[in-house]
């Protein structure tokens, strides 16, 4: 068999493979156990290997690339149009092989083990923050059900727990024990999240790209390390708008009959990074709007004609484009003074 393109549909235990020759004809159809996949690929001559960018794909991609193969990872939604008829593992592998040969296909850069480590730490922190939020909501509900209403905000809750919980008589003995356990769990979550934040702070200082990103307003250690880990080769994006579109921060376009119509942001890509950028933009907006810079003048004009939340998202879009420029040019961000008159 002269396999030129090998499409692999990864599974938890079994993987489906389809091999194509130079004419695009199918010359191989096989199902193989996941544990035997690397040994099978090692025996093949150098070829194009296509896979969907799913869990475990980057691990295999690094292995196959080290063997000399041309590995191409693709977003699953871009492969779906090439699936013929009903969904089957063999047809998925055939669609992957066909999609890998398309000249207009957009491929996902292979992530290094260090990048995946940082992304995993971010996912762990996100899970802890979600667990902490759920615990706080449950704690507020327990207290509210006993007639104890606490104002919004973590500081107000912590203040009440510190000053009023020891002498409170509205809680029964059992509920008092339960609330104490919940408070201990809350403090433990706070400590674990703080440890991860300190680790991200150290990573942001040691990584050159993260240090450059931190020069952008609204981008701190969390944003910088998340962006540096997610963006392998920044040259994959031709311009800043492509990077902002990858993050889902550009308007969704609906064009028919030559008439374009713009709706809300597309919300494609990583929700986590998009949320980080929007929160960073929200925090930096008051400061940037007062600055005598081109960015400040743009924000002042935008605030006069748009709602604040719209301005926050627009600023997040702008910061994403600035972040792309910083990574592309390998230079820190420098604010440009607004021209007079």
């Amino acid at each position: 068999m002269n396999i030129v393109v090998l499409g692999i549909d990864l599974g938890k235990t079994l993987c489906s493979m389809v091999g194509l020759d130079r004419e695009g004809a199918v010359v191989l159809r096989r199902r193989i156990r996941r544990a035997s996949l690397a040994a099978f690929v090692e025996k093949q001559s150098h070829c194009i290997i296509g896979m969907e960018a799913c869990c475990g794909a980057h691990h295999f991609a690094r292995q196959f690339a080290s063997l000399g193969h041309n590995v191409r990872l693709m977003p699953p939604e871009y492969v779906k149009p090439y699936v013929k008829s009903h969904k089957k593992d063999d047809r998925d592998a055939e669609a992957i092989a066909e999609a890998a040969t398309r000249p207009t296909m957009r491929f996902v850069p292979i992530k290094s083990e260090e990048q995946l480590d940082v992304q995993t730490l971010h996912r762990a922190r996100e899970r802890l923050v979600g667990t902490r939020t759920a615990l706080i909501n449950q704690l507020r509900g327990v207290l509210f059900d006993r007639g104890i209403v606490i104002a919004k905000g973590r500081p107000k809750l912590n203040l009440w727990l510190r000053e009023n919980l020891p002498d409170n008589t509205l809680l029964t003995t059992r509920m008092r024990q339960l609330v104490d356990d919940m408070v201990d769990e809350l403090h433990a979550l706070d400590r674990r999240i703080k440890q991860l934040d300190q680790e991200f702070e150290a990573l942001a200082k040691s990584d050159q790209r993260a240090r450059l990103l931190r020069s952008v307003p609204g981008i701190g250690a969390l944003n910088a390390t998340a962006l540096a880990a997610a963006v392998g080769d920044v040259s994959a994006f031709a311009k800043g708008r492509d990077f902002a579109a990858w993050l889902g921060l550009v308007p969704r376009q609906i064009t028919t009959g030559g008439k374009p119509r713009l709706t809300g942001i597309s919300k494609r890509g990583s929700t986590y990074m998009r949320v980080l950028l929007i929160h960073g933009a929200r925090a930096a907006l008051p400061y940037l709007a007062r600055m005598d810079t081109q960015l400040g003048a743009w924000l002042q004009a935008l605030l006069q004609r748009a709602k604040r939340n719209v301005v926050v998202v627009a600023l997040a879009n702008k910061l994403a484009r600035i972040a792309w420029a910083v990574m592309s040019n390998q230079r820190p961000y420098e604010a440009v003074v607004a021209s007079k008159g």
Side-chain angles (χ1 to χ4, degrees):
M1 293 180 296
N2 187 15
I3 298 176
V4 176
V5 182
L6 184 64
I8 303 176
D9 181 41
L10 296 175
K12 186 176 181 179
T13 56
L14 291 176
C15 302
S16 296
M17 296 185 299
V18 168
L20 306 181
D21 62 10
R22 293 188 180 276
E23 304 300 325
V26 176
V27 295
L28 170 70
R29 290 186 189 273
R30 180 176 298 184
R31 301 193 74 187
I32 189 171
R33 298 191 66 84
R34 187 185 182 97
S36 305
L37 180 59
F40 175 84
V41 173
E42 187 176 3
K43 298 176 183 178
Q44 306 303 311
S45 58
H46 294 174
C47 63
I48 296 172
I49 297 180
M51 294 183 293
E52 291 179 334
C54 58
C55 187
H58 291 276
H59 168 72
F60 279 121
R62 290 194 300 270
Q63 279 188 323
F64 300 160
S66 66
L67 297 173
H69 296 286
N70 181 4
V71 183
R72 299 179 179 181
L73 300 181
M74 297 159 287
E77 60 269 24
Y78 290 171
V79 175
K80 188 175 181 180
Y82 295 93
V83 178
K84 301 179 181 66
S85 188
H86 301 288
K87 185 186 184 306
K88 289 173 51 180
D89 290 341
D90 288 344
R91 290 194 176 125
D92 287 347
E94 184 179 342
I96 291 170
E98 185 175 348
T101 63
R102 298 299 91 196
T104 57
M105 178 57 62
R106 297 177 182 176
F107 300 106
V108 177
I110 301 174
K111 289 182 173 59
S112 65
E113 195 167 354
E114 291 76 14
Q115 288 178 283
L116 290 178
D117 286 350
V118 175
Q119 286 189 315
T120 303
L121 289 175
H122 274 280
R123 293 190 186 102
R125 183 187 182 278
E126 185 182 17
R127 174 181 55 81
L128 291 175
V129 170
T131 302
R132 183 178 65 180
T133 302
L135 180 60
I136 290 173
N137 291 339
Q138 187 178 40
L139 179 58
R140 284 180 176 275
V142 170
L143 297 175
F144 187 78
D145 204 31
R146 272 73 182 174
I148 302 172
V149 181
I150 303 175
K152 288 183 179 180
R154 282 283 308 284
K156 299 290 182 63
L157 176 64
N158 292 334
L159 180 64
W160 188 93
L161 292 173
R162 185 168 57 252
E163 294 181 352
N164 301 318
L165 183 60
D167 302 324
N168 192 273
T169 58
L170 296 177
L171 298 175
T172 63
T173 303
R174 184 65 188 93
M175 285 301 99
R176 182 71 174 276
Q177 295 174 349
L178 177 64
V179 170
D180 287 340
D181 290 342
M182 295 172 73
V183 171
D184 290 341
E185 185 181 354
L186 180 60
H187 291 162
L189 288 170
D190 285 337
R191 288 193 296 271
R192 294 177 65 185
I193 293 172
K194 185 177 180 180
Q195 289 173 355
L196 286 174
D197 288 341
Q198 292 172 347
E199 188 170 356
F200 288 132
E201 188 70 32
L203 286 171
K205 291 179 179 178
S206 60
D207 185 80
Q208 181 184 3
R209 181 181 289 183
R211 289 199 302 269
L212 291 173
L213 286 171
R214 292 192 70 177
S215 66
V216 181
I219 294 184
L222 279 180
N223 306 49
T225 53
L227 286 171
V231 182
D233 184 7
V234 73
S235 62
F237 306 98
K239 50 190 176 182
R241 189 188 185 282
D242 294 342
F243 182 60
W246 180 65
L247 293 171
L249 289 170
V250 299
R252 183 167 174 261
Q253 297 187 26
I254 302 176
T255 303
T256 181
K259 297 180 180 179
R261 182 166 65 91
L262 300 181
T263 62
I265 58 174
S266 66
K267 296 185 179 180
R268 300 180 65 182
S270 172
T271 302
Y272 177 72
M273 286 193 295
R274 185 167 57 252
V275 168
L276 285 180
L277 282 171
I278 290 176
H279 285 339
R282 194 185 306 278
L285 177 60
Y287 166 76
L288 292 175
R290 294 193 302 267
M291 297 292 291
D292 187 21
T293 60
Q294 289 185 0
L295 183 58
W298 174 75
L299 286 173
Q300 292 167 16
L302 194 57
L303 284 167
Q304 293 178 1
R305 65 179 191 271
K307 295 181 179 180
R308 191 174 187 85
N309 283 341
V310 175
V311 177
V312 168
V313 177
L315 177 58
N317 186 339
K318 182 76 73 174
L319 295 181
R321 300 183 185 212
I322 294 174
W324 173 87
V326 165
M327 289 187 289
S328 297
N329 300 324
Q330 292 293 305
R331 290 187 302 180
Y333 168 75
E334 296 180 4
V336 179
V337 179
S339 57
K340 303 297 182 180

